[in-house]
Amino acid sequence: MLKTQWDATLYEGKHAFIWQYGEDLLNLLSPEPGERILDLGCGTGQLTAKIAMTGAVVLGIDADPTMLEKARYNYPQLQFAVADARNFQVEQPFDAIFSNATLHWILEKDAVIGCMHQALKPKGRLVAEFGGKGNIKAIAEALLGALEATGCLSPEIQLPWYFPSIGEYTSCLEKHGFEVHYAVLFDRPTPLLDGDTGLANWIQMFTKSILSGLSTEQQTDVIQAVEHRLKPVLYQDGTWIADYRRIRVVAVKE
Ligand code: BEZ
């Protein structure tokens, strides 16, 4: 899994859209009072808390201790645990797993799907949304182009995301013993906060594993070059709009 040291304050302050859009996914989860639900990749806990408000019993897990520290501070009454989605086990299986904006960070999809399968009761459901095929295509291309143009592209730089098609992901779910009930891929252009600096904030937050290998000056050059490339495409009326594309799935453990 990607080793990103998240900045929980930047995440909460500038990227609230992550869980605000995720609220819609809760309708698909439709939690019942008393159900045991695992929120995989809970971040700072906002959606975990929404699930808990329905009367479900929820555990939020995340690989990043900084995010969980903030989640515990935000919601001291809820249960959170540090766990690696590729390699976790639960003592008691869950009725459902909910995951918003997390699975695209983990390249080892088979390991994650296998863990999710074993963490569910028979007939337990998985409700997930993450970046799908074509997600942030313009941003990713501009980033690679900018790295190359500034002389910062090295062979070890790899984009750290997994954005599958419906066909690829649902086949994988089936291979691991899920029955897929629903899958959709859709564009979700996402306005970024803070006007002119929105894209720079996004790049600093989400491409840390790439930028951390560069000097401060190189980082500035790359970010400016990305902005320059994308301004005609993703900047409208003073706001940057990220070219997000989501995949949503509902699958049931057979
Ligand atoms: C996403 O939510 O789609 C996403 C966020 C950051 C980097 C890549 C994708």
Side-chain angles (χ1 to χ4, degrees):
M1 178 152 40
L2 177 77
K3 268 277 163 216
T4 294
Q5 184 65 46
W6 290 98
D7 179 334
T9 307
L10 189 59
Y11 175 86
E12 281 198 318
K14 306 286 183 206
H15 303 94
F17 63 81
I18 295 171
W19 64 84
Q20 285 162 354
Y21 280 115
E23 286 184 24
D24 191 31
L25 190 66
L26 291 174
N27 296 329
L28 270 186
L29 176 67
S30 189
E32 296 282 337
E35 275 195 317
R36 297 189 66 250
I37 301 199
L38 182 70
D39 181 6
L40 188 153
C42 63
T44 47
Q46 281 75 12
L47 292 176
T48 324
K50 294 259 177 195
I51 296 170
M53 278 168 65
T54 67
V57 180
V58 60
L59 168 67
I61 62 171
D62 203 287
D64 191 294
T66 319
M67 297 291 244
L68 279 191
E69 202 178 305
K70 197 73 177 34
R72 289 192 179 107
Y73 173 82
N74 289 341
Y75 307 104
Q77 74 283 15
L78 299 184
Q79 259 201 305
F80 296 100
V82 177
D84 181 337
R86 298 165 306 174
N87 178 21
F88 71 95
Q89 284 191 331
V90 298
E91 281 168 17
Q92 243 192 302
F94 288 83
D95 294 294
I97 296 177
F98 175 85
S99 184
N100 178 56
T102 294
L103 298 177
H104 51 240
W105 287 108
I106 311 167
L107 302 178
E108 300 95 326
K109 59 181 186 312
D110 285 291
V112 183
I113 294 174
C115 279
M116 294 194 293
H117 190 267
Q118 63 80 30
L120 283 169
K121 293 177 182 170
K123 303 286 172 211
R125 62 202 189 279
L126 165 67
V127 177
E129 176 176 320
F130 56 105
K133 187 169 182 184
N135 193 38
I136 57 159
K137 187 165 184 286
I139 297 179
E141 283 173 3
L143 179 62
L144 290 173
L147 286 163
E148 188 162 24
T150 53
C152 296
L153 188 62
S154 58
E156 57 275 11
I157 288 185
Q158 278 186 348
L159 298 183
W161 308 299
Y162 170 60
F163 299 139
S165 67
I166 288 183
E168 177 181 339
Y169 201 68
T170 56
S171 303
C172 210
L173 287 169
E174 287 174 355
K175 188 177 82 184
H176 284 273
F178 281 100
E179 184 176 77
V180 178
H181 287 199
Y182 175 81
V184 62
L185 181 70
F186 58 98
D187 287 325
R188 202 193 54 213
T190 299
L192 304 177
L193 283 185
D194 277 353
D196 276 0
T197 57
L199 184 62
N201 288 342
W202 188 97
I203 294 170
Q204 272 155 358
M205 175 86 189
F206 293 121
T207 70
K208 252 185 195 159
S209 66
I210 297 170
L211 292 189
S212 60
L214 310 184
S215 69
T216 310
E217 199 182 7
Q218 285 173 322
Q219 292 187 20
T220 306
D221 289 349
V222 168
I223 290 172
Q224 282 176 354
V226 174
E227 288 176 330
H228 182 72
R229 281 162 189 255
L230 290 178
K231 203 141 198 177
V233 194
L234 299 182
Y235 187 75
Q236 276 171 28
D237 302 326
T239 299
W240 287 99
I241 301 180
D243 54 336
Y244 276 22
R245 230 169 174 222
R246 317 315 280 172
I247 182 168
R248 259 185 196 185
V249 292
V250 178
V252 171
K253 175 171 175 166
E254 289 185 309

